[in-house]
Amino acid sequence: MPTSIALILLVFGSSLASSLFFVLSARILRQAAEDNPPSTLGVVGVTHLAAALFLLPFLPAVGVVSVSDAAAMASASVLALVVLTAVLHLTARFFHFKALGLADVSLVSPFAALTPVLTLFTAWIILGEHPNAQELVGILIVVLSLLGLTGAAASFRSHFGSGDLNARGRVQLGLWFALLSAVPPALKLAFQKKAILLSSPFTYALLILVLTGVGAAVVCVTRYRIQDLRAQFPPRRLRSLILISSLLALNTFLFCAALTLGMAAGVSAMARVSIVFQGILAYWIAGQKTDFRRRILWAVAIFIGTFVIATAGS
């Protein structure tokens, strides 16, 4: 299979799994807002540890994890990169889930357009990746299309113009968290690719899920009493989170594989196609209304941008 086709399939599969994961997580966070809401870090901890458990038996079974991979991950330089990316990943997840709990997916998602632009600089500094003209054009198409797709300016004006000051304040806070959530991934992607190239994308995927989940769980245990955590995660809510964790496992697995085939900034831009999926799924699953005519036109432009990036010869 040509590399460009493999890259597109990996990124699109990862983006679809990621979109389902975030939309379903947002529904849990928003529905629970008035009745014993789950802590943001608690949701991160549960979903990431459950996702690691989904991946754990799968990886050795398909022969993608070996003793040499484990030995490579044990080196000080790789472990430092893994820990650093886990911290950045946890920070980004925390900000993203906080934003989803305060504002609609359609308002939070535009800020993801900033990540590919920031990744251009971090990948250049950390990895020495210099995008060619075609890759830059593709990234520009994706970023501009994302801003048009989400109708960012009009959406923000309509929400900030609401007469409900309390609701407006919640949305504004959510947008600040959304803005902050775009920064850590730009740093993480460059370090993540470096760690993957020094070891194995599949072993790394498992480790990053475990470290992020453990980190979130430790913070939760220090902040909340066990009784409080049990109240936040009754069996029904816990089962829902565990079920959607399989989507997170699939997303992490496919995205790490995609990074081995493409430039970090290019893969980051292609992965923004998840915003198209999120908009459609948020309408179907969470009842968050969208303008489908406008969105379809901009979605076509985003798909064009991803193909331009995937077929560029670096």
Side-chain angles (χ1 to χ4, degrees):
M1 180 184 295
T3 300
S4 59
I5 300 299
L7 179 59
I8 289 169
L9 291 175
L10 287 171
V11 172
F12 279 26
S14 169
S15 298
L16 183 56
S18 172
S19 302
L20 276 167
F21 171 73
F22 279 120
V23 170
L24 292 171
S25 297
R27 186 171 68 169
I28 291 173
L29 288 164
R30 299 295 294 278
Q31 286 180 343
E34 297 178 359
D35 179 25
N36 230 352
S39 66
T40 303
L41 283 173
V43 172
V44 173
V46 169
T47 53
H48 282 68
L49 288 175
L53 290 176
F54 277 113
L55 272 184
L56 187 59
F58 169 75
L59 297 182
V62 295
V64 296
V65 174
S66 64
V67 174
S68 60
D69 291 336
M73 298 300 288
S75 68
S77 58
V78 176
L79 283 176
L81 288 170
V82 170
V83 172
L84 178 59
T85 54
V87 171
L88 291 168
H89 184 74
L90 178 58
T91 304
R93 283 289 193 260
F94 173 76
F95 288 143
H96 199 166
F97 276 118
K98 288 291 285 185
L100 289 173
L102 295 167
D104 285 351
V105 173
S106 59
L107 281 175
V108 173
S109 58
F111 290 93
L114 294 174
T115 299
V117 178
L118 296 174
T119 305
L120 278 172
F121 298 101
T122 57
W124 175 46
I125 295 169
I126 297 167
L127 297 171
E129 290 186 344
H130 303 279
N132 60 34
Q134 184 174 333
E135 288 165 332
L136 285 174
V137 168
I139 292 170
L140 181 63
I141 290 172
V142 171
V143 171
L144 292 179
S145 299
L146 285 172
L147 296 177
L149 169 72
T150 54
S155 295
F156 297 161
R157 281 197 302 270
S158 66
H159 279 261
F160 290 158
S162 169
D164 187 344
L165 294 177
N166 186 42
R168 194 190 314 169
R170 285 175 57 83
V171 172
Q172 287 177 331
L173 181 60
L175 295 181
W176 276 111
F177 278 118
L179 175 62
L180 291 171
S181 73
V183 179
L187 289 168
K188 185 195 77 170
L189 275 172
F191 290 118
Q192 182 177 358
K193 181 167 182 179
K194 193 168 185 179
I196 287 170
L197 292 176
L198 290 172
S199 54
S200 156
F202 312 108
T203 309
Y204 173 86
L206 182 61
L207 268 180
I208 200 70
L209 288 171
V210 171
L211 288 176
T212 304
V214 168
V218 167
V219 174
C220 277
V221 169
T222 59
R223 287 185 59 189
Y224 299 96
R225 296 178 302 172
I226 298 298
Q227 304 94 296
D228 295 334
L229 287 174
R230 285 177 179 169
Q232 290 176 12
F233 296 97
R236 186 175 66 178
R237 186 178 298 164
L238 193 59
R239 283 195 298 269
S240 298
L241 288 170
I242 290 173
L243 284 174
I244 66 174
S245 298
S246 60
L247 296 167
L248 175 61
L250 181 62
N251 159 241
T252 307
F253 182 89
L254 295 177
F255 188 79
C256 287
L259 273 177
T260 65
L261 298 179
M263 184 188 67
V267 173
S268 174
M270 290 176 67
R272 298 313 104 183
V273 74
S274 64
I275 295 176
V276 177
F277 298 141
Q278 282 184 34
I280 296 170
L281 293 168
Y283 178 81
W284 284 343
I285 297 173
Q288 296 176 10
K289 306 302 181 183
T290 55
D291 179 356
F292 268 102
R293 291 180 181 176
R294 177 175 55 82
R295 284 180 174 273
I296 287 173
L297 290 174
W298 286 112
V300 169
I302 291 174
F303 285 122
I304 291 172
T306 63
F307 279 99
V308 169
I309 296 166
T311 56
S314 298

